[in-house]
Amino acid sequence: KTFQELSLQELYDTMALRQEVFVIEQNCPYLDADGRDQKSDHLLVYAENGDLAAYLRVVYAGVSYAEMSIGRVVTAQKYRRIGLGKTLMIRALQDIKKRYGNIPIHISAQCYLTKFYEDFGFEVVGQGYLEDDIPHIGMILREIL
């Protein structure tokens, strides 16, 4: 969904999940409302009980990087280890390829997730860095598999 297509409940669920994981669980106070949500497509996965189980955003080219970007990839704690993150990424990459063609995608990945993204074809670019005191690495997917 585009930002404008999100319902108020979906927007609330998204912000709550991102804060639950990125701010509380990872103990990382940062400004989540960074002005990029309005320039992104949003992929939300709801569980049968109505919980937002997983989420990511696809940031349009020219906003975070020259290339399109995927960010805020998150799975709620009680829905981890069942493959939702992988399913979410596959769906996002399929959707990007269908809507925008086989374009490069640039991400800022938490270092511990490097292998996760490499499994989709992302390659490390540049040196590691701290983003909000969490080790990150730049990665690029040159061609969607």
Side-chain angles (χ1 to χ4, degrees):
K1 294 184 174 187
T2 65
F3 182 78
Q4 292 75 19
E5 292 171 332
L6 292 173
S7 70
L8 288 176
Q9 186 63 53
E10 289 168 331
L11 179 59
Y12 178 85
D13 294 345
T14 296
M15 300 305 282
L17 177 59
R18 288 173 9 183
Q19 289 175 35
E20 176 185 314
V21 174
F22 298 131
V23 177
I24 305 300
E25 185 179 319
Q26 294 183 352
N27 193 27
C28 181
Y30 77 106
L31 182 61
D32 183 48
D34 60 4
R36 293 183 182 132
D37 288 315
Q38 298 92 323
K39 300 167 189 155
S40 301
D41 291 332
H42 304 267
L43 184 55
L44 300 88
V45 177
Y46 280 91
E48 288 181 7
N49 66 0
D51 289 347
L52 180 59
Y55 165 87
L56 65 70
R57 70 181 181 187
V58 177
V59 183
Y60 305 141
V63 177
S64 295
Y65 304 101
E67 304 86 1
M68 188 157 280
S69 181
I70 295 174
R72 300 291 200 264
V73 181
V74 62
T75 302
Q77 191 170 36
K78 73 182 193 177
Y79 296 102
R80 293 184 192 152
R81 308 279 182 240
I82 59 172
L84 273 182
K86 182 177 180 179
T87 301
L88 195 65
M89 283 296 297
I90 290 168
R91 175 66 188 271
L93 293 172
Q94 289 172 340
D95 189 55
I96 290 168
K97 188 173 184 177
K98 180 180 176 184
R99 297 170 103 196
Y100 304 104
N102 204 351
I103 59 172
I105 301 167
H106 194 151
I107 64 172
S108 175
Q110 291 187 10
C111 287
Y112 83 95
L113 291 169
T114 301
K115 171 76 169 90
F116 173 78
Y117 291 111
E118 285 175 337
D119 288 348
F120 294 102
F122 283 87
E123 303 169 9
V124 170
V125 290
Q127 301 294 315
Y129 53 91
L130 287 179
E131 184 175 313
D132 300 315
D133 288 328
I134 295 176
H136 280 71
I137 191 82
M139 301 185 82
I140 195 157
L141 178 64
R142 299 183 196 287
E143 184 176 347
I144 300 171
L145 306 175

